[in-house]
Amino acid sequence: MKVIHELSNIRLRGRKTNRLTNINLKIYSGEKIALLGKSGSGKSSLISIANGALYPDEGHVLFKGENIHRINQKKRQKIATIWQELLLIDELSSIQNVNCGALGKNNLIWAIRNLTGTLNPHFSSLCLLAAGLPAVYHNANIKLLSGGQRQRIAIARMLRQEAELLLADEPFSNLDPTLVKQTLNLLQSRTLNEKVSPPKTILVSLHRPDLIKSFDRIIGLREGKIIINKSVNEINELDINYLYS
Amino acid sequence: MKWLNPTILSIIPALAIIPVLILIGQGFHDGGSYLLIRVITSAFNPSKSILLLKSTWDGLQITVCIAFIGWLLSIILGFLLGLISSSVIWKILNGPKICAPLMRKILSIPRSIHEILWSLLLLQIMGLNGLVGILAILIPYSSLTARVISDQIDTIDIKSLRAIRQTGGNPFSIIITAILPKIIPLLISYGGYRLECSLRSATILGIFGFGGIGTDIQLSLQSLEFNEMWTSIWIIGIFIILLEHILGWYRRKFCFSPQAIRLILFSPIIGGIIFIACIIRLKQLDIDILVSPNFNSIYWPSINEIINAINELPLLNLTFSTLILTIFTSGIVIGIPAVGILLWPTRYGQIIQSSIWSIMRIIPPPLTALLLLLISTPGFAVAALALSIQNIGIMGRFLKEKIQTNGDKKLKAFQTYGVSKNSAWLYGCLVENSSSYLSYAAYRADVILRETAIVGLVGGTGLGWQLMESLSSFNWAEVLVLITIYSMLTISGEILSKEISNFWLLDKYKAYLQ
Amino acid sequence: MKRRSVFIILLGGLVTILGASNVLARSKEILTIGAIPDQNPEHLNRLYSLLSNKLSKELKVEVKYIPVTNYAATVSAFRTGDLDLVWFGGLTGVQARLQRAGAKVLAQRDIDSKFRSVFIANRKANIKKISDPAELSQLKDKRFTFGSTNSTSGRLMPQYFLKKSKVELVDFSGKMPGFSGSHDTTIALVESGAYEVGALNKQVWESNLKRNRVDTNKVSVIWTTPPYVDYHWLAQPGLDKRFGSGFTSKLKTTLLNLNKKSSDGAKILGLFGANKFIPAYEKDYKLIEEIGREIGKIR
């Protein structure tokens, strides 16, 4: 299998201690990876390093063999992120927020037209439907929506981006059990409807070990270091306990 | 109306620059280009003669002292007036309901008149007295401060005060425990901005002949000694920029660190010491503000004279052109900073733009107008552009600060999606800040309306021009009529801009969209 | 800490009170003189500090020159009594006299009884010399500048003559004339080409010519106005009460006695561009007052 994303020798300094130390991680095309660890173990930092939002103090991140901070916009669009805080834009409607996923593919005029709400909403509607948000909410003021609904908008925005690699930071934290299941299914599936398909390669951070069965590989993070890197079949209770002790 | 959202409304007004530039172009002549080039090259080669530096230094001190004294008194007075024009306070004191709105109405009059007009009127009453400049700042500024203070107090929920009242506290202890903590942070941050404004006002007062560094600027411009003019502009400019940084630091320190509370306790003491030092220094510089002025009666025009003035002045026309000037200027001022960063959002782009804004903030509008007149014929466009320059600088800084305090998390997130810098800036920064930007812009439009008075003469348009002409003809009936109109316009502008600003801030506009 | 701050405040208060009492102690009368700022401030400073010294020496009172930076403020300062003796232009003098009952016209220069303005033009504007005032109509649609809004020779009279030749202010390019603020500035702006035509005080023009401060290849006179009365000294009423009886007439005599025989007298008159001062009377300025009313500069 081909390596699509690679973090090598990453170190990220914090105020007092290192937030990440000696991180080496290869993500292969088509893999579904779960990133486990207690809160504060460095999961969010790792994701921010992986998508290029943060610069590591040491080491480098390669996307398809190129340094992530030097690749062009077109390649960057192939990496999607679902942030823990979602980072939706409260001032915009659901559809407009989903359109933001396609900002990279389009020019500034398109961006301004999206603000004016004069774009064809078809594709974004499909993404929202695929993410499980019913059509009545598509033009809603998103400030008024629930946490779960907002989470689905963030997922739809990610779908709209049509990326190859998804980095997701605790995307299940706001969801009830049924929605968690739906979302997991969504991320696993090949195509959702005629146009929308999720990224093939996925790295999802979790703090719920019970969900790991849906993934191929488990990465365990403790105090900024990778201490587990195993196929899901090889994981046992002890590993998990050690991670959370 | 779906397209009508704060972000679009922050960008679209920039279109106002197009007709203005076309008009400037139509009036363009290369006659003064030689002088203009001299002005611009002199900027990089200000005069460094010791004699000049000394007199500029004295001028700076005069301006700073006047600005400081006017400001300090206006904050104190504004605070007190703010208390008595707040309805919450009157409720606590069980006073009549009418008091607060009545006080507010009365106080909207002094601030509807620009500092320069106050100074010209006070000159008639007090003559050449050092107090004129200080009072010209003090009068409008204290009523501006009073408005902000009482607005802030009135956001306090009266029910929460009742709870304190139940404990049996007397009205004054309620005010101290429940209201002061809300007001002091505001006084610190808003007060800081007012100090900068005060310095700018004191400089413009100087340009109109009331002493200090502004007068130096005016005199060197008059004798076309551009190198000397730039010496003064750079000196006051550097001072303003330094002050901006110090106050910015003070605000941040205050906001984020509880230990800084000691600094605040010391503020009145430090303020008092500087206040006294300013008075003494002014005295040494031959400006005595403690000498009691001999008040002169002013000439009150008779009813007939006023009616004549109303009939003779083309009031509708003047009002209309003033409003057009205000609208176009506000458009430019709102749109240009937002569009500027939108088109050039890179790190260097932002650094360069905010340095341009800094320079724009320090060049007084009457001066800009005079320089524009070197290459264009007088009129609406020159006035609009001259007024815009300084205000763009002020709006630009507001935008930058707003974005800094709200963080750039979203901007960074968008960049990881491979979004272009422009679109990332639009969605990651402007969208979430645009409603507060617009509400500040509404307040700025108010200020611009007032300021049309000071470019009147050079811009040759609207009420401002007529007012300066009537003032120099000592036609008090006309002056009275014109100031009344100005005042009425500004007061209605203020009411309108308050509505607009509430509209954007309180999300009311959403209701209109759905 | 608290005690120290109280101490500082007390100290500050003490200093303030001392400062204030120091101010109130000043009771000696000072004769304040002023002038409309029609020329470069350096020129005015040199001229009026010489004159202050001279007056002080002759009249045995302290004399202080107070510079004022605009015409209207000079008038207001006279009205409020801040200036005792002011060198006014024709228009500003009338404005001041109308606002201060009892003000006395003391003297004018020999040249002021037949004063003139010049219209100057930039060579590039290709404006022909004017021999008949009717030809002023060729200035329509030109970029035109006056001096100060309240100047007699730089605005009032030029506007009056223009009006007589049916040229109104809205006829100029931009529908507005410019107001440069002073005569020297008018020369500089027309010479540079920022304005094509300007009107100013003939005496200032000539003194600039004499001092080689004008590039005559770039700017030249196209018309000289007919004569009219201009500048004069105006004194406050009640000077006698403050400085002793007969002071006003002593002041007048001192001004009239300035001559070119003494070195300081010669310097002062040289800077004034005159040979001597001659008596002047209110009635001389009747015409200026009428024109002022016609143009709207006097209510």
Side-chain angles (χ1 to χ4, degrees):
Chain A
M1 262 194 302
K2 224 172 70 189
V3 175
I4 183 169
H5 205 57
E6 183 177 357
L7 281 71
S8 60
N9 296 319
I10 299 291
R11 180 202 294 275
L12 179 69
R13 295 206 179 89
R15 286 246 174 87
K16 281 178 189 149
T17 53
N18 288 329
R19 270 148 71 192
L20 293 173
T21 324
N22 200 24
I23 300 285
N24 283 294
L25 178 61
K26 281 184 178 150
I27 301 176
Y28 295 92
S29 183
E31 258 192 320
K32 317 275 188 238
I33 303 176
L35 180 65
L36 291 183
K38 286 196 293 195
S39 41
S41 59
K43 297 190 300 272
S44 295
S45 302
L46 191 142
I47 284 182
S48 291
I49 294 271
N51 67 22
L54 283 181
Y55 283 78
D57 293 300
E58 279 170 31
H60 51 261
V61 179
L62 301 176
F63 179 67
K64 293 187 176 173
E66 281 179 77
N67 189 320
I68 193 160
H69 293 292
R70 298 211 194 97
I71 58 177
N72 59 25
Q73 279 181 23
K74 217 169 190 149
K75 283 206 177 134
R76 272 222 173 187
Q77 288 156 23
K78 298 294 169 203
I79 309 170
T81 308
I82 298 175
W83 306 83
Q84 194 169 10
E85 316 88 312
L86 303 183
L87 300 182
L88 295 177
I89 298 172
D90 286 338
E91 286 77 7
L92 301 179
S93 71
S94 315
I95 285 279
Q96 284 172 318
N97 264 294
V98 176
N99 273 332
C100 289
L103 278 178
K105 290 197 195 73
N106 294 288
N107 59 18
L108 187 59
I109 303 292
W110 188 90
I112 292 173
R113 282 188 58 201
N114 180 35
L115 282 182
T116 63
T118 53
L119 291 172
N120 183 352
H122 180 64
F123 194 0
S124 296
S125 283
L126 287 178
C127 295
L128 277 168
L129 290 174
L133 192 73
V136 282
Y137 297 114
H138 288 191
N139 283 311
N141 177 355
I142 69 157
K143 259 188 199 163
L144 307 173
L145 299 182
S146 72
Q149 287 165 328
R150 290 165 65 92
Q151 190 98 47
R152 277 174 278 170
I153 294 171
I155 291 168
R157 179 172 72 181
M158 176 276 292
L159 292 172
R160 182 73 170 86
Q161 194 178 337
E162 301 172 285
E164 292 173 17
L165 169 66
L166 166 64
L167 305 165
D169 198 358
E170 313 239 359
F172 308 119
S173 54
N174 283 323
L175 304 181
D176 57 51
T178 11
L179 273 174
V180 169
K181 210 158 172 239
Q182 270 179 23
T183 311
L184 271 173
N185 285 339
L186 184 151
L187 294 180
Q188 306 286 328
S189 56
R190 289 259 144 174
T191 49
L192 298 161
N193 50 41
E194 72 268 35
K195 280 183 97 172
V196 187
S197 51
K200 276 196 300 186
T201 317
I202 295 175
L203 174 84
V204 178
S205 82
L206 301 167
H207 60 217
R208 286 176 51 186
D210 56 305
L211 297 175
I212 60 174
K213 287 286 171 270
S214 317
F215 296 86
D216 307 331
R217 184 149 62 112
I218 307 300
I219 307 289
L221 214 53
R222 191 185 152 113
E223 287 164 5
K225 288 183 192 129
I226 293 183
I227 53 161
I228 301 173
N229 185 354
K230 285 180 184 173
S231 146
V232 68
N233 307 323
E234 298 164 28
I235 285 284
N236 56 39
E237 197 94 344
L238 271 172
D239 289 332
I240 302 291
N241 286 344
Y242 176 59
L243 205 54
Y244 285 92
S245 64
Chain B
M1 291 294 270
K2 205 175 168 191
W3 56 271
L4 195 84
N5 64 43
T7 316
I8 296 297
L9 284 180
S10 312
I11 299 172
I12 291 225
L15 292 175
I17 191 86
I18 295 171
V20 169
L21 286 183
I22 289 175
L23 283 174
I24 294 261
Q26 278 175 355
F28 177 82
H29 57 82
D30 65 348
S33 46
Y34 159 74
L35 274 185
L36 191 66
I37 289 167
R38 253 187 63 202
V39 173
I40 293 167
T41 50
S42 315
F44 302 99
N45 184 25
S47 164
K48 287 169 247 16
S49 97
I50 298 294
L51 208 68
L52 179 82
L53 285 175
K54 207 197 148 306
S55 95
T56 312
W57 173 238
D58 286 351
L60 177 72
Q61 291 177 59
I62 292 174
T63 300
V64 170
C65 290
I66 287 178
F68 188 84
I69 296 173
W71 168 80
L72 187 69
L73 295 176
S74 81
I75 292 290
I76 297 168
L77 189 62
F79 175 67
L80 298 175
L81 290 172
L83 288 181
I84 59 168
S85 55
S86 131
S87 33
V88 167
I89 298 281
W90 283 103
K91 266 184 205 151
I92 296 172
L93 297 174
N94 272 329
K97 252 187 188 160
I98 184 74
C99 290
L102 188 72
M103 278 305 295
R104 273 170 182 260
K105 292 260 150 53
I106 294 171
L107 284 176
S108 66
I109 295 169
R111 65 171 172 263
S112 71
I113 297 170
H114 194 269
E115 300 88 90
I116 293 299
L117 297 182
W118 273 117
S119 70
L120 294 172
L121 295 176
L122 287 167
L123 175 72
Q124 297 303 322
I125 302 172
M126 304 172 58
L128 297 175
N129 188 296
L131 272 178
V132 168
I134 291 168
L135 285 178
I137 292 175
L138 170 62
I139 294 170
Y141 275 42
S142 44
S143 84
L144 273 167
T145 308
R147 170 191 174 189
V148 175
I149 298 272
S150 60
D151 278 354
Q152 179 75 11
I153 297 177
D154 285 350
T155 60
I156 297 173
D157 187 6
I158 192 81
K159 281 185 204 122
S160 67
L161 294 177
R162 284 207 190 106
I164 305 177
R165 202 163 211 186
Q166 294 289 301
T167 63
N170 72 26
F172 292 100
S173 58
I174 294 176
I175 292 174
I176 288 170
T177 48
I179 290 177
L180 279 189
K182 266 211 137 170
I183 295 308
I184 286 176
L186 180 78
L187 269 183
I188 302 273
S189 68
Y190 177 76
Y193 287 119
R194 291 314 309 167
L195 181 56
E196 292 167 21
C197 295
S198 177
L199 203 55
R200 270 189 277 273
S201 295
T203 310
I204 294 181
L205 280 170
I207 289 182
F208 278 76
F210 289 90
I213 202 159
T215 303
D216 292 341
I217 294 175
Q218 166 68 7
L219 291 180
S220 10
L221 181 70
Q222 195 89 86
S223 5
L224 305 182
E225 298 288 351
F226 300 125
N227 310 70
E228 296 184 2
M229 177 184 85
W230 279 106
T231 308
S232 309
I233 295 182
W234 285 130
I235 287 181
I236 183 74
I238 290 167
F239 191 85
I240 289 180
I241 291 171
L242 265 178
L243 184 75
E244 282 175 0
H245 278 94
I246 292 170
L247 290 171
W249 168 83
Y250 192 81
R251 267 193 293 276
R252 280 192 297 277
K253 185 109 181 149
F254 173 75
C255 287
F256 301 124
S257 118
Q259 301 98 304
I261 204 94
R262 266 177 44 199
L263 210 63
I264 292 150
L265 288 175
F266 268 104
S267 296
I269 299 167
I270 298 167
I273 293 169
I274 301 178
F275 179 76
I276 292 161
C278 282
I279 293 178
I280 295 169
R281 189 71 194 126
L282 278 179
K283 168 95 175 97
Q284 288 167 346
L285 290 165
D286 217 16
I287 294 176
D288 223 327
I289 60 166
L290 296 173
V291 61
S292 61
N294 32 355
F295 290 99
N296 292 270
S297 58
I298 48 171
Y299 177 84
W300 273 102
S302 68
I303 303 285
N304 270 336
E305 284 173 312
I306 293 173
I307 292 172
N308 275 342
I310 293 174
N311 288 332
E312 273 167 33
L313 290 170
L315 292 177
L316 217 59
N317 201 338
L318 294 174
T319 310
F320 183 70
S321 56
T322 302
L323 289 179
I324 292 284
L325 176 61
T326 310
I327 290 168
F328 273 81
T329 309
S330 309
I332 295 172
V333 167
I334 295 167
I336 293 296
V339 170
I341 302 203
L342 181 61
L343 296 181
W344 197 15
T346 58
R347 221 172 75 95
Y348 290 112
Q350 294 206 32
I351 292 173
I352 289 171
Q353 288 179 73
S354 60
S355 338
I356 292 176
W357 293 335
S358 294
I359 294 174
M360 282 175 154
R361 279 199 297 280
I362 63 178
I363 302 183
L367 183 67
T368 324
L370 281 172
L371 297 182
L372 284 172
L373 283 182
L374 293 176
I375 49 159
S376 192
T377 45
F380 159 76
V382 167
L385 205 55
L387 267 183
S388 301
I389 298 285
Q390 190 172 55
N391 284 301
I392 286 177
I394 294 170
M395 281 308 281
R397 184 178 64 156
F398 177 81
L399 188 61
K400 191 178 119 192
E401 281 185 353
K402 196 77 208 159
I403 285 165
Q404 272 173 357
T405 46
N406 278 355
D408 58 353
K409 187 112 205 208
K410 283 182 188 165
L411 178 74
K412 281 204 172 133
F414 274 110
Q415 282 174 354
T416 66
Y417 303 159
V419 173
S420 73
K421 285 218 153 104
N422 313 75
S423 299
W425 191 82
L426 178 64
Y427 281 80
C429 292
L430 189 58
V431 169
E432 66 174 341
N433 290 305
S434 55
S435 37
S436 62
Y437 181 70
L438 274 189
S439 89
Y440 184 69
Y443 159 73
R444 209 65 224 165
D446 233 38
V447 176
I448 289 169
L449 176 58
R450 264 189 288 265
E451 282 186 349
T452 55
I454 58 169
V455 293
L457 196 53
V458 268
T461 180
L463 291 165
W465 147 249
Q466 184 59 51
L467 185 56
M468 291 299 165
E469 182 69 1
S470 301
L471 270 167
S472 73
S473 309
F474 305 96
N475 191 334
W476 300 118
E478 284 184 8
V479 170
L480 187 70
V481 170
L482 290 167
I483 287 193
T484 310
I485 293 182
Y486 242 119
S487 201
M488 282 177 349
L489 279 182
T490 326
I491 291 172
S492 17
E494 199 177 284
I495 295 169
L496 190 71
S497 74
K498 192 170 178 183
E499 287 301 312
I500 293 175
S501 114
N502 283 343
F503 185 74
W504 295 125
L505 272 187
L506 305 177
D507 281 351
K508 278 192 197 152
Y509 71 96
K510 292 269 165 59
Y512 287 77
L513 299 185
Q514 279 164 10
Chain C
M1 195 131 46
K2 223 174 189 177
R3 206 175 293 161
R4 203 195 324 163
S5 53
V6 170
F7 172 71
I8 290 170
I9 291 172
L10 284 179
L11 187 75
L14 195 68
V15 172
T16 318
I17 293 164
L18 284 177
S21 56
N22 176 23
V23 169
L24 295 175
R26 192 195 76 182
S27 61
K28 218 177 124 211
E29 287 290 355
I30 297 175
L31 183 76
T32 50
I33 65 172
I36 49 168
D38 59 343
Q39 292 177 68
N40 279 341
E42 306 94 79
H43 177 87
L44 298 179
N45 272 330
R46 206 164 60 231
L47 168 53
Y48 290 98
S49 42
L50 278 172
L51 184 69
S52 303
N53 288 339
K54 178 80 180 169
L55 288 179
S56 186
K57 210 165 68 190
E58 300 279 326
L59 296 166
K60 314 261 177 319
V61 292
E62 195 179 330
V63 180
K64 190 175 167 198
Y65 167 58
I66 299 179
V68 184
T69 48
N70 76 61
Y71 282 49
T74 320
V75 174
S76 298
F78 185 81
R79 188 184 81 93
T80 55
D82 288 289
L83 295 175
D84 295 324
L85 174 70
V86 181
W87 180 241
F88 275 121
L91 174 63
T92 41
V94 175
Q95 286 178 330
R97 195 149 43 78
L98 290 175
Q99 294 183 46
R100 186 75 171 171
K104 292 191 178 61
V105 179
L106 296 188
Q108 57 180 201
R109 294 172 300 189
D110 47 358
I111 53 174
D112 286 319
S113 58
K114 285 200 166 53
F115 207 78
R116 291 169 197 269
S117 301
V118 289
F119 281 56
I120 57 171
N122 190 293
R123 298 263 188 208
K124 279 192 196 146
N126 278 328
I127 294 170
K128 283 188 272 342
K129 278 211 179 335
I130 292 172
S131 46
D132 177 5
E135 293 167 29
L136 283 172
S137 62
Q138 63 167 322
L139 301 184
K140 284 185 182 178
D141 292 320
K142 298 289 178 197
R143 296 195 305 277
F144 185 93
T145 185
F146 290 120
S148 161
T149 50
N150 280 18
S151 166
T152 309
S153 52
R155 188 230 172 136
L156 185 76
M157 295 314 289
Q159 186 178 344
Y160 169 70
F161 291 119
L162 284 165
K163 202 174 170 194
K164 265 171 90 177
S165 307
K166 305 259 176 324
V167 181
E168 300 289 337
L169 299 190
V170 289
D171 292 330
F172 295 120
S173 169
K175 301 217 180 302
M176 267 278 294
F179 289 96
S180 72
S182 87
H183 301 299
D184 288 324
T185 322
T186 302
I187 299 178
L189 289 177
V190 176
E191 185 181 301
S192 77
Y195 286 96
E196 292 166 308
V197 194
L200 75 145
N201 181 320
K202 185 170 178 239
Q203 177 253 324
V204 174
W205 168 253
E206 281 170 353
S207 93
N208 272 282
L209 275 184
K210 221 181 277 168
R211 280 178 290 154
N212 278 329
R213 290 179 55 165
V214 184
D215 184 348
T216 44
N217 293 322
K218 287 187 179 154
V219 58
S220 63
V221 173
I222 53 166
W223 188 53
T224 305
T225 64
Y228 53 87
V229 212
D230 202 348
Y231 292 84
H232 54 287
W233 283 110
L234 195 65
Q236 286 284 343
L239 289 184
D240 293 1
K241 216 182 260 171
R242 279 166 54 206
F243 295 97
S245 64
F247 184 82
T248 312
S249 58
K250 240 164 62 189
L251 186 59
K252 183 171 176 172
T253 328
T254 313
L255 288 170
L256 295 179
N257 285 347
L258 280 175
N259 57 55
K260 293 203 159 175
K261 280 173 209 145
S262 66
S263 75
D264 49 356
K267 261 188 218 152
I268 292 168
L269 287 169
L271 288 169
F272 265 111
N275 285 317
K276 60 176 185 205
F277 284 104
I278 58 173
Y281 307 96
E282 273 185 30
K283 63 175 170 31
D284 300 340
Y285 294 90
K286 212 70 214 152
L287 184 70
I288 293 283
E289 188 175 337
E290 276 163 29
I291 295 173
R293 287 189 198 280
E294 195 183 323
I295 302 282
K297 294 308 293 179
I298 293 175
R299 191 181 42 80

